[in-house]
Amino acid sequence: MSLTNIYDDIYANPRNHVDSFKFDEEVVQVFTDMIARSVPGYMLTLPLIGLLGSQYAQPNSKVYDLGCSLGAVSLSLQPQVTPDCTIMAVDNSSAMIEKCRQVVKNEVGKAPIELVEADIRSIPIRDASVVVLNFTLQFIAPDQRAELIQTIYDGLRPGGALILSEKVAFEDAAQNGRFTNLHHNFKRANGYSDLEISQKRTAIENVLIADSVPQHQARLTEAGFSSAEVWFQALNFMSIFALK
Ligand code: GEK
């Protein structure tokens, strides 16, 4: 089954009160369209994560897709890693996991994808060669991020890799403002109205908290990663590749 790409118009009509953003049934229905029109470079990162991941996936190891949503990263990795790997796709939204189950296919000769409905802060990470956090860490409370990164580091085999994609903030306020405007222009160019942009911003402002690239790199180094390089950036969205 392929994903039906339902057009995201969740914030198209004025609301008296804008609730905090949640990955619920309504969002799940439009998720593929929402993320593609909201995150610059998202569609490009997916095959590249498959390519990067396949270089570091070790035989008989686990590959983690943390905050898997509808399984896009898992599906990109599946044909590229050896079939004796197990891909652990984890998300704590039951609506996401339910829909993901309809999308993800396990075929003979390909690495199996195990879907897990759980909070990524509470699952064990063991015997991993590749861990992917594709736009997920930004939804974890900032004071809990270091512990999660440490758990990932500890669960990686030597030579293993973490791919961490995030929306980023800039330490300089003027620079931050310029990139925020650029991102809003990107959304406008993709068909979102000013009302949609503003209501979504209100919904997400206390839910998605962006760190800067130096903050991410310092956290990764502190956890023990020997390198943490930005390998991709589109406006204020980037991805880091960190090696154990
Ligand atoms: C993709 N990686 O398509 N535990 C588990 N899952 C969580 C948690 C948590 N504590 N917090 C948030 N999530 C995907 C896109 S979306 C990014 C990732 C976005 C899940 C949440 O339910 C959602 O599915 C995902 O993280 C974030 O490549 O929408 O900007």
Side-chain angles (χ1 to χ4, degrees):
M1 181 196 147
S2 67
L3 278 176
T4 21
N5 209 4
I6 299 173
Y7 194 74
D8 169 27
D9 60 0
I10 290 180
Y11 294 103
N13 296 316
R15 297 183 177 203
N16 293 331
H17 175 76
V18 179
D19 289 328
S20 286
F21 187 81
K22 283 193 194 71
F23 291 97
D24 57 13
E25 176 65 29
E26 189 186 25
V27 166
V28 167
Q29 287 309 319
V30 301
F31 182 74
T32 305
D33 180 67
M34 174 186 276
I35 195 161
R37 288 200 289 132
S38 305
V39 175
Y42 170 76
M43 297 307 275
L44 188 55
T45 59
L46 294 175
L48 290 174
I49 288 171
L51 192 70
L52 256 178
S54 68
Q55 285 187 39
Y56 291 89
Q58 300 174 18
N60 278 306
S61 68
K62 290 206 165 69
V63 170
Y64 287 83
D65 176 8
L66 302 178
C68 63
S69 299
L70 302 180
V73 165
S74 295
L75 289 169
S76 163
L77 286 162
Q78 192 183 39
Q80 309 234 38
V81 301
T82 55
D84 54 9
C85 287
T86 302
I87 301 173
M88 308 293 294
V90 187
D91 206 289
N92 68 347
S93 156
S94 51
M96 278 293 182
I97 289 288
E98 202 178 302
K99 181 99 184 273
C100 190
R101 223 174 272 292
Q102 299 165 28
V103 178
V104 158
K105 287 266 171 294
N106 280 326
E107 294 162 38
V108 178
K110 285 190 184 164
I113 300 176
E114 246 178 64
L115 289 184
V116 182
E117 184 183 332
D119 193 308
I120 56 171
R121 290 166 297 185
S122 62
I123 54 149
I125 309 277
R126 287 206 192 101
D127 205 24
S129 58
V130 176
V131 177
V132 182
L133 280 163
N134 205 35
F135 305 107
T136 304
L137 189 67
Q138 59 198 18
F139 294 107
I140 301 295
D143 63 353
Q144 295 172 3
R145 292 178 187 178
E147 193 181 336
L148 175 59
I149 294 295
Q150 191 65 58
T151 303
I152 292 171
Y153 178 84
D154 294 345
L156 274 168
R157 289 182 182 179
L162 166 66
I163 298 168
L164 170 66
S165 312
E166 290 273 288
K167 180 178 188 181
V168 288
F170 294 83
E171 279 155 13
D172 179 78
Q175 189 74 308
N176 204 51
R178 279 191 283 275
F179 275 94
T180 302
N181 281 339
L182 264 169
H183 179 225
H184 290 166
N185 285 339
F186 170 86
K187 292 184 75 164
R188 258 177 223 114
N190 283 332
Y192 285 114
S193 68
D194 287 350
L195 176 69
E196 286 176 295
I197 293 168
S198 136
Q199 293 193 135
K200 173 76 179 282
R201 193 181 186 182
T202 305
I204 211 145
E205 69 186 349
N206 296 318
V207 179
L208 188 170
I209 296 162
D211 287 327
S212 66
V213 171
Q215 275 175 305
H216 283 297
Q217 287 173 320
R219 190 183 288 125
L220 292 163
T221 304
E222 181 66 23
F225 285 96
S226 60
S227 68
E229 296 298 334
V230 175
W231 63 274
F232 180 89
Q233 183 163 351
L235 308 183
N236 45 346
F237 291 77
M238 63 89 222
S239 190
I240 287 177
F241 173 58
L243 269 183
K244 179 161 178 175

